[in-house]
Amino acid sequence: MGWWKAGRCYCDVVTVVISLALVPHVRGRHTEMARSLSSDVYKSMVPPFYDKYISPASDTSPAIVYFDMKLLDISSINENDMTFSVESFVTYRWKDWRLRWPLERPDLDPCWNPEPLNLSRPLRFSQVCTGNYTATIARCVANDPSPTRRLILPLQFLENIWQPDAFFKNGIRSSIHKDWVANEYLAFYTSDGHIRLFSRMSITLMCHFDFHHYPHDQQKCEMLIQSLSYKSDLVQFEWCETWAHASSKLDHDIFSLPHFTLAKYEHKVCNDEYPCVKAVFVLVRHPDFHILHTYVPTVLIVILSWMSFWIAPDATPARVTLGVTSILTMATQYSQSTKNLPPVSYIKSLDIWMITCMVYVFAALLEFAIVYHVHYLRTINKVPGLTTPTSTTNGPSQVTQGLSLASPRLQRWTETWREFWKGDTAIDEASRVLFPVTYFSFVIGYFVLLTGSQDQGSLSDGQS
């Protein structure tokens, strides 16, 4: 019995080894058969005399290419370079009547039914298709398209057929994501015979920012998709209706960037000489950052410069130091608030704010110079034996002689003005009221005008 068990084990081992040796040959043979079969099927789809450089336009209408775009994220906005980057699913669909596709209902196929006997070079639409053919795609025209079956095709099949030569007109660079595999696929829909090319892309686009109302601005950026060589009489670009009203699909929590919020996102058709579609992005800036880091500090600096109005005129070091320090701090704040912006040639709203604040700080320092001069003149007049350089001891001055010839109203105004200049703190007392009233009037008017202009801009965008 021992020899029988040993012989049985030996036979089992031989059987396993032989099986393992034959598996690669069997697997390789099946793979080769499947590959040759698919290659034959793909070759049969492309008829003789097919020219992939000629658009599939019919005798009466151009070829229609439908675009879908699902926005995934706005990854970055570079104001200095005037660019923005988006992550999105980009899809375009089209029909090609020259291809012989395996449809669900071949008897309803308007083309190649029946197959013409004598084909010409190039293929003629009237020879291949009947009058029931349409270039429109029901899935893109209907608001609620019914689900359809699809066949996934290899991407190499695109090398043998016509495909739209679409490109991003204002694009700087674009790339298709590739993780384990490339994030794109080619599909054929057996219900109506249209082709779909799907890609997940990262796209960097140019956008001409308008900083007139910065930092309360809203930017209108576009993504332009245009045909490279085909004109509108041969190819038309359209948006798929299922994606045409994309504003309702926006998740404001996702599309809220640190400095911007995507307030509006819509699709438009711009077919002119060349077929074109575009996606419009309306980005509204968050003012919170500049309120905390620009407006509040500058207001405090201006108010700090007014503290000199309560300091005695003879405290020259304290008032000069306070005024000069306020001006230097304001200049530093100005440069910090605009360092991330490109050097534009027009005046921004922030420029008006910062220049006005600097004028008020400089006016506070200039006010001290006037107060100190008046204080100096009054001190000289109080000292016995000292006279001002403009005073005389013999007779009335030329100013008094000129005033005697003026009208009584001018004399009363001159006397009032002289009484005002007699006190040491008269100018400081007036500045304590004049500076705050005028400055806060400017602040209120500044924000009211900016808010009104921003609302008008949003209204005009909505009407367009």
Side-chain angles (χ1 to χ4, degrees), residues 143-400:
N143 293 327
D144 187 16
S146 57
T148 57
R149 296 178 59 187
R150 65 180 183 180
L151 300 177
I152 303 298
L153 304 175
L155 291 173
Q156 292 79 5
F157 188 66
L158 287 173
E159 299 175 0
N160 303 322
I161 65 174
W162 179 88
Q163 59 177 317
D165 57 348
F167 72 103
F168 296 103
K169 187 176 181 180
N170 60 331
I172 297 178
R173 56 186 173 272
S174 61
S175 62
I176 298 176
H177 284 251
K178 184 176 181 180
D179 301 321
W180 293 277
V181 295
N183 295 169
E184 61 178 344
Y185 68 85
L186 181 68
F188 166 74
Y189 286 79
T190 59
S191 58
D192 56 355
H194 79 268
I195 311 167
R196 178 190 183 191
L197 181 60
F198 171 90
S199 303
R200 181 193 172 198
M201 305 186 68
S202 296
I203 312 162
T204 301
L205 303 158
M206 293 183 296
C207 180
H208 298 288
F209 291 99
D210 184 6
F211 297 108
H212 279 93
H213 299 293
Y214 178 87
H216 299 271
D217 56 330
Q218 60 179 18
Q219 304 297 337
K220 185 177 181 181
C221 299
E222 297 179 346
M223 174 192 290
L224 293 170
I225 305 176
Q226 183 176 304
S227 176
L228 183 63
S229 60
Y230 296 100
K231 294 190 175 182
S232 297
D233 57 343
L234 296 176
V235 178
Q236 289 280 330
F237 284 179
E238 300 287 344
W239 284 109
C240 228
E241 285 296 328
T242 54
W243 300 98
H245 307 286
S247 59
S248 60
K249 301 181 177 65
L250 286 181
D251 189 342
H252 294 284
D253 294 334
I254 297 178
F255 298 107
S256 182
L257 284 76
H259 299 295
F260 287 93
T261 295
L262 181 59
K264 192 175 182 181
Y265 171 48
E266 60 183 357
H267 295 142
K268 295 182 180 180
V269 178
C270 50
N271 289 319
D272 194 7
E273 182 181 4
Y274 290 91
C276 171
V277 292
K278 63 181 179 180
V280 181
F281 307 86
V282 179
L283 303 169
V284 178
R285 189 185 303 274
H286 298 162
D288 304 342
F289 175 82
H290 289 278
I291 290 176
L292 296 177
H293 294 83
T294 302
Y295 291 121
V296 172
T298 51
V299 169
L300 294 178
I301 293 171
V302 172
I303 295 176
L304 182 64
S305 66
W306 298 341
M307 297 299 102
S308 63
F309 302 154
W310 281 266
I311 301 177
D314 54 354
T316 304
R319 298 189 66 161
V320 171
T321 302
L322 181 60
V324 173
T325 303
S326 300
I327 292 178
L328 295 177
T329 307
M330 187 67 67
T332 303
Q333 184 71 24
Y334 191 9
S335 62
Q336 288 292 327
S337 60
T338 58
K339 67 177 181 179
N340 293 326
L341 296 179
V344 295
S345 59
Y346 49 82
I347 298 177
K348 305 180 290 292
S349 297
L350 186 63
D351 295 333
I352 298 175
W353 173 269
M354 299 300 296
I355 291 174
T356 303
C357 292
M358 292 186 69
V359 167
Y360 270 89
V361 173
F362 179 77
L365 183 61
L366 184 63
E367 186 266 355
F368 167 68
I370 298 174
V371 169
Y372 183 78
H373 179 70
V374 173
H375 176 73
Y376 173 75
L377 294 179
R378 189 171 182 278
T379 304
I380 291 178
N381 292 331
K382 289 182 178 180
V383 177
L386 295 178
T387 57
T388 61
T390 57
S391 62
T392 58
T393 55
N394 297 324
S397 63
Q398 295 180 356
V399 178
T400 306

Side-chain angles (χ1 to χ4, degrees), residues 98-165:
R98 299 169 296 178
L99 298 176
R100 292 181 291 198
W101 297 104
L103 300 181
E104 295 178 359
R105 296 288 303 276
D107 56 323
L108 300 179
D109 189 1
C111 300
W112 303 99
N113 186 24
E115 183 173 346
L117 299 178
N118 298 321
L119 296 177
S120 60
R121 182 192 297 269
L123 294 175
R124 294 198 306 268
F125 176 78
S126 58
Q127 185 182 18
V128 176
C129 298
T130 62
N132 296 327
Y133 175 82
T134 176
T136 59
I137 299 176
R139 183 181 182 87
C140 291
V141 176
N143 293 327
D144 187 16
S146 57
T148 57
R149 296 178 59 187
R150 65 180 183 180
L151 300 177
I152 303 298
L153 304 175
L155 291 173
Q156 292 79 5
F157 188 66
L158 287 173
E159 299 175 0
N160 303 322
I161 65 174
W162 179 88
Q163 59 177 317
D165 57 348

